[in-house]
Amino acid sequence: MNPERLLSLTNRWFSTSVGLTLVIFLSSAICGFLLLPYADADSRFSGIWDAICNAAGFPVKSSATDIIQPEFKISGATLGLAELTSPSPQSIGRGATLAQQCAICHGPEGVSRADAPNLAGQYAQVIYKQLHDFRSGARTNATMGPFAAHMNDRDMIDLAAYYAYLPRIPSSRDSAEVPLIVASGAPTRGIAPCGSCHGTIERKIGSPWLNGQPAAYIEAQLRYFASGARRNDTNQQMRNIARALTDDEIKAVASYYAGTQ
Amino acid sequence: MLNSRRLVLAHFWMAFGGFGLALLLGAWQMFIRSPLAGWIGNPEWYYRSVTAHGTIMGYVFPTLIAMGFGYAITETSLKAPIAGVRWAWAGIALILIGSIMAMIPVSAGLASVLYTFYPPMIGNPFYYIGVVLVVVGSWIWVALMSINLIRWKRANSGKPVPLAMYANVAGSYLWGWTAVGAALELILQIIPVAVGLRSTIDAGLARIFFSWTLHAIVYFWLIPTYIAYYTIVPRAIGGKLYSDSMARISFVLFLVVAMPIGIHHTFADPMVGAGFKFVHSVFTAIVALPTLLTVFTICASVEIASRLRGGRGPFGWLVALPWNNPTMLAVTFSFIMLGFGGAGGLINMSYQLDASIHNTQWITGHFHLIFGGAIVIMYFVIAYDLWPHLTGRNLANLSLMRLQLWLWFIGMIVTTFPWHYVGILGMPRRMAYYDYTHPAIADQALPVILSATGGLILVVSAALFFVILIRGHLSEKADPGEYRFSVAVHPPQRVPVALNSHGLWVGLMIALTATNYGFPILQLAVRSDTSVPAVYVGVK
Ligand code: HEM
Ligand SMILES: [Cu+2]
């Protein structure tokens, strides 16, 4: 049999298949990179090259110039500081001294008798962030603002280290009665389970440990988030959730975490 | 009987064994997220199960079927013992080791990342390494298919390569190349992060690599089914293949256009430019061509079978078909499911319509209908057809086979039709929990229950399938004779070189990969600002 050459333009199969592939590729590329970008009514290209780059997926720069600034302060705290996860004994000691001014509300052992949050055993990143936000004004509170105004970063880190070091109050709660919203959230309303950030299921950095917090405090914070009076949750996690919670759910989570349920 | 019967049987039993396990997980998933079951309380269990189900059904099961069937085709169509049998055993051993290595962390809840990996989620490294071993094991098969074909061609210069082998090798090349995408993603991106060498990952680039694999892998799953359509069905129902060349053209078209279209899986992703999305959609439209050719050719072949049996009239021939032949039944069911699935696929592939069903249960409904339905039902046929030649015993109980096929068909329709429907209603996929008491989704409860019932029917059908195969090992001995493939109406005397070799088509496949993927990959690879911190998952 005569050897038929495959890779040759005289071979019909070769020329047809390569030709067709080229035609399809080129025509789809012309459509995709030129005709369609121009057909888009919103397109404002400065030229052909601009249109091609856009269709090829180069990021468009213009939008980066006019970022809308919010009319309120946003949190600027950095939570990745190594000192927050492994504090030195000196830091804890200094924190203990500084904490004396806090004891009147938060309790000498970090356990409050005044419906202020219990700080004993709270994550260091959480305490640091809240103090930072009180100082910057990202979170406002008539009592805490003046205290934080006089603190420097060192003080905040030390206080965080000290409170994180104190033992948590033991939980007295019966785990069988976990409200559905804590364990499962409400997917249809876009509410993730509370426990998926605040402990028990999963912990996300920056989210406080809620067990044992006063019910009145938790309830008040959820209502502040819902109304927008508190907005130092940088990505709006808590504002979005709190707005979608029902009144009953707010009461239920507050008393569940307080351990009074 | 086949010389390589132990090799082929090992592949089939491992494949179907995995399939049986994964099927039970699938049925459990259906049940547990339906209104029939209470909320499991911990979504982790669900994702663990979906990861195992998807990994086995997507990577292990079809790969082993393609391999086992490929070995059987090599021996029977080339009429010579397989070269490199030891390597073949090494390949399946790698797959076994890889599967076990992957499934241990998955079962322990250390790698619930789903079979699509979903970076920046990062699980236990052994999961990914296991998957890589599975792929490497299958690459041994790719090499062996090629070597065996080359050997045969040397000894039979100028003769047409038997169709089954030609298609089989095309499938192996397709897999060899398309698996490279996921392999690059795993080796260059995910595994270094999983073992702690890096802590950030470019999730967008990873998704592009994955899409390189994701589309053509479905055609790799499909190829054994198409080989069965062309080379088993016409013979099994007493007819002839309408056109040998048409068959070859379909397979080479798959080789060329199955690959450069994967970006249709990232329509909703921001990191790929709209121009490339358009180019990929155009090529996606072309991939319908080989399927249409196949449907036409097989329908014509079936008609020939009927006319040979005395069927007449424009539609009367349908009556004369051998309806109690399980293969006839299965190919009909397969075509019906392929038809519905294909219609759904048209929606997925159009940029605008896709937005309405993206990431909904429609997608899972769609690929279960095509993959679990149209494709897997032909895997059953392949097993039934080969079993006597592998065991040297009869597979006699045709009515049990028919029942099994009917149940699979009905089960698949009952499972997937409501599954599509709830997708249109907007039910998201890959969620472990739905609150059906909420008025917004209360009307999804009934279809979901229906779907879960379908899953149960499928489990029954699979159980019957195992009964039939096991009984096949125990029945009386019988000589099955020589294994034969369908004969074409005009058996090829001489085939153009282009349709007797794969070089041209592999070349086009690689060239189109370069044009369609080169820029999107390079663009992200050279930028330094596209990585995000890894999110490590795993039970603590
Ligand atoms: C009893 C029959 C089956 C049932 C009830 C079933 C059910 C399921 C369910 C519920 C999911 C998870 C969907 C999600 O949450 O998004 C799933 C995923 C999957 N199934 Fe099946 N399945 C069955 C059979 C099959 C078969 C036969 C195959 C293919 C051979 C298959 C391939 C897959 C794949 C690849 C995934 C992964 C999809 C993902 O991760 O989203 N399944 N299946
Ligand atoms: Cu695809």
Side-chain angles (χ1 to χ4, degrees):
Chain A
M1 86 154 250
N2 56 332
E4 178 190 339
R5 282 195 51 215
L6 178 60
L7 302 183
S8 142
L9 286 180
T10 54
N11 185 319
R12 264 191 318 126
W13 288 91
F14 177 79
S15 46
T16 314
S17 61
V18 173
L20 269 179
T21 308
L22 272 176
V23 167
I24 295 170
F25 176 75
L26 289 178
S27 49
S28 65
I30 290 172
C31 274
F33 288 90
L34 281 175
L35 299 184
L36 289 176
Y38 274 109
D40 183 355
D42 293 336
S43 60
R44 280 172 306 236
F45 299 120
S46 55
I48 288 189
W49 188 238
D50 196 20
I52 294 178
C53 288
N54 193 299
F58 278 108
V60 181
K61 289 257 164 47
S62 57
S63 64
T65 56
D66 39 58
I67 293 176
I68 300 167
Q69 295 295 341
E71 79 281 19
F72 55 92
K73 274 256 182 280
I74 50 174
S75 179
T78 315
L79 303 185
L81 303 174
E83 290 156 289
L84 291 173
T85 38
S86 42
S88 65
Q90 290 84 339
S91 173
I92 297 175
R94 253 179 56 82
T97 314
L98 289 170
Q100 302 205 338
Q101 51 180 322
C102 322
I104 189 165
C105 293
H106 292 288
E109 237 73 276
V111 179
S112 169
R113 295 201 187 83
D115 280 350
N118 298 323
L119 300 180
Q122 186 55 276
Y123 301 115
Q125 292 100 335
V126 172
I127 298 192
Y128 173 74
K129 175 174 187 295
Q130 298 309 319
L131 289 174
H132 202 282
D133 289 352
F134 282 130
R135 185 178 62 184
S136 71
R139 181 175 175 188
T140 50
N141 179 282
T143 320
M144 282 309 298
F147 274 100
H150 300 294
M151 290 181 193
N152 58 28
D153 265 19
R154 181 78 260 150
D155 299 338
M156 295 180 184
I157 291 171
D158 294 341
L159 279 164
Y162 169 65
Y163 280 118
Y165 162 84
L166 290 178
R168 282 178 185 151
I169 38 174
S171 166
S172 59
R173 175 159 34 75
D174 177 1
S175 61
E177 298 167 43
V178 188
L180 199 61
I181 196 83
V182 172
S184 313
T188 24
R189 280 177 285 151
I191 302 178
C194 314
S196 64
C197 291
H198 293 287
T200 61
I201 297 177
E202 187 43 297
R203 185 209 150 198
K204 298 280 155 42
I205 196 165
S207 319
W209 176 258
L210 293 181
N211 274 349
Q213 297 301 346
Y217 176 71
I218 295 183
E219 186 175 337
Q221 296 308 312
L222 286 173
R223 297 202 191 283
Y224 290 152
F225 278 128
S227 69
R230 178 174 172 187
R231 42 197 178 184
N232 66 328
D233 53 331
T234 312
N235 296 314
Q236 298 215 31
Q237 308 87 321
M238 281 316 300
R239 274 171 284 172
N240 281 329
I241 287 174
R243 275 195 289 268
L245 288 175
T246 64
D247 207 50
D248 286 345
E249 281 167 342
I250 290 183
K251 293 210 170 82
V253 291
S255 61
Y256 166 75
Y257 278 116
T260 54
Q261 191 185 33
Chain B
M1 278 213 293
L2 271 66
N3 284 321
S4 55
R5 58 183 177 276
R6 290 189 40 215
L7 181 69
V8 177
L9 271 176
H11 281 82
F12 278 6
W13 269 119
M14 209 170 124
F16 288 124
F19 160 80
L21 280 179
L23 196 67
L24 292 178
L25 292 178
W28 176 79
Q29 287 154 211
M30 274 306 200
F31 171 73
I32 205 69
R33 61 171 176 65
S34 79
L36 299 174
W39 161 225
I40 32 170
N42 187 353
E44 215 286 321
W45 284 99
Y46 182 78
Y47 294 117
R48 215 181 278 198
S49 173
V50 179
T51 307
H53 174 88
T55 306
I56 297 175
M57 291 297 202
Y59 298 142
V60 182
F61 167 53
T63 308
L64 284 167
I65 294 286
M67 292 168 70
F69 191 32
Y71 291 128
I73 290 173
T74 308
E75 184 186 329
T76 51
S77 72
L78 302 185
K79 303 199 173 26
I82 300 172
V85 175
R86 275 162 195 251
W87 282 102
W89 281 106
I92 186 177
L94 271 183
I95 294 188
L96 183 65
I97 296 169
S99 310
I100 293 174
M101 188 186 282
M103 280 309 123
I104 290 174
V106 170
S107 323
L110 300 174
S112 304
V113 293
L114 307 192
Y115 89 120
T116 45
F117 308 143
Y118 265 167
M121 286 205 299
I122 297 289
N124 185 291
F126 285 103
Y127 170 64
Y128 307 112
I129 297 171
V131 173
V132 171
L133 288 186
V134 170
V135 172
V136 172
S138 69
W139 277 340
I140 295 183
W141 167 77
V142 174
L144 285 178
M145 291 302 99
S146 179
I147 291 169
N148 276 282
L149 180 63
I150 292 170
R151 271 190 165 205
W152 182 90
K153 276 178 132 180
R154 272 209 206 110
N156 297 273
S157 125
K159 284 200 203 147
V161 176
L163 173 61
M165 188 62 183
Y166 186 72
N168 172 39
V169 174
S172 80
Y173 289 156
L174 179 61
W175 172 239
W177 180 244
T178 195
V180 169
L184 289 174
E185 177 192 8
L186 287 171
I187 294 168
L188 299 180
Q189 296 197 274
I190 294 185
I191 292 177
V193 180
V195 298
L197 296 177
R198 251 184 266 148
S199 61
T200 60
I201 185 165
D202 185 339
L205 179 60
R207 287 177 65 85
I208 295 184
F209 276 136
F210 194 77
S211 82
W212 164 332
T213 295
L214 187 55
H215 192 82
I217 198 177
V218 313
Y219 285 98
F220 167 62
W221 298 338
L222 198 88
I223 291 229
T225 291
Y226 274 46
I227 297 179
Y229 287 161
Y230 282 110
T231 68
I232 294 182
V233 170
R235 184 258 297 143
I237 62 171
K240 289 192 167 199
L241 176 60
Y242 175 69
S243 164
D244 180 87
S245 323
M246 202 86 105
R248 286 171 199 260
I249 292 173
S250 304
F251 286 106
V252 300
L253 278 176
F254 277 134
L255 198 48
V256 177
V257 288
M259 184 45 240
I261 64 181
I263 280 180
H264 63 218
H265 290 275
T266 64
F267 276 161
D269 289 23
M271 73 282 173
V272 184
F276 284 102
K277 288 177 182 169
F278 182 78
V279 172
H280 280 246
S281 336
V282 169
F283 280 94
T284 306
I286 297 171
V287 88
L289 206 66
T291 291
L292 292 176
L293 281 180
T294 301
V295 170
F296 175 80
T297 312
I298 300 307
C299 286
S301 310
V302 169
E303 183 181 343
I304 292 172
S306 166
R307 306 254 180 230
L308 286 175
R309 294 163 58 95
R312 39 190 93 254
F315 293 106
W317 60 272
L318 286 170
V319 188
L321 284 168
W323 286 112
N324 46 25
N325 181 329
T327 306
M328 184 65 233
L329 215 54
V331 75
T332 310
F333 293 155
S334 182
F335 270 28
I336 295 174
M337 294 189 277
L338 193 67
F340 282 112
L346 293 179
I347 293 180
N348 305 347
M349 62 157 269
S350 24
Y351 193 71
Q352 287 82 354
L353 290 178
D354 178 63
S356 62
I357 42 92
H358 178 68
N359 261 345
T360 67
Q361 298 283 3
W362 166 284
I363 298 297
T364 28
H366 165 75
F367 73 71
H368 279 84
L369 182 57
I370 293 230
F371 181 20
I375 295 179
V376 170
I377 206 166
M378 294 307 288
Y379 289 0
F380 297 151
V381 168
I382 293 172
Y384 289 156
D385 200 61
L386 279 175
W387 225 247
H389 299 265
L390 298 172
T391 59
R393 292 162 196 272
N394 262 338
L395 211 53
N397 198 337
L398 295 188
S399 47
L400 205 57
M401 287 186 205
R402 283 194 298 265
L403 178 64
Q404 188 266 324
L405 295 167
W406 267 109
L407 284 179
W408 192 261
F409 173 65
I410 295 172
M412 211 30 102
I413 298 286
V414 174
T415 306
T416 57
F417 278 34
W419 213 346
H420 279 82
Y421 173 66
V422 292
I424 297 177
L425 296 184
M427 182 177 181
R429 74 186 277 207
R430 290 181 162 174
M431 275 179 54
Y433 169 64
Y434 301 85
D435 176 7
Y436 297 98
T437 57
H438 193 280
I441 64 168
D443 53 352
Q444 293 167 11
L446 203 64
V448 172
I449 293 177
L450 215 64
S451 217
T453 323
L456 221 60
I457 302 177
L458 291 171
V459 170
V460 173
S461 168
L464 278 183
F465 176 65
F466 287 115
V467 168
I468 295 169
L469 291 193
I470 292 169
R471 282 172 66 174
H473 282 282
L474 306 174
S475 64
E476 78 281 13
K477 282 201 163 38
D479 178 17
E482 194 192 347
Y483 188 79
R484 289 180 308 111
F485 294 100
S486 324
V487 180
V489 177
H490 302 288
Q493 302 302 322
R494 228 190 129 264
V495 177
V497 189
L499 293 184
N500 209 34
S501 61
H502 300 87
L504 171 59
W505 315 109
V506 171
L508 283 175
M509 166 175 84
I510 294 177
L512 282 174
T513 310
T515 55
N516 288 10
Y517 269 106
F519 184 82
I521 289 177
L522 279 180
Q523 189 200 6
L524 290 172
V526 301
R527 285 180 67 115
S528 57
D529 57 352
T530 47
S531 289
V532 292
V535 178
Y536 292 93
V537 302
V539 171
K540 288 176 199 84

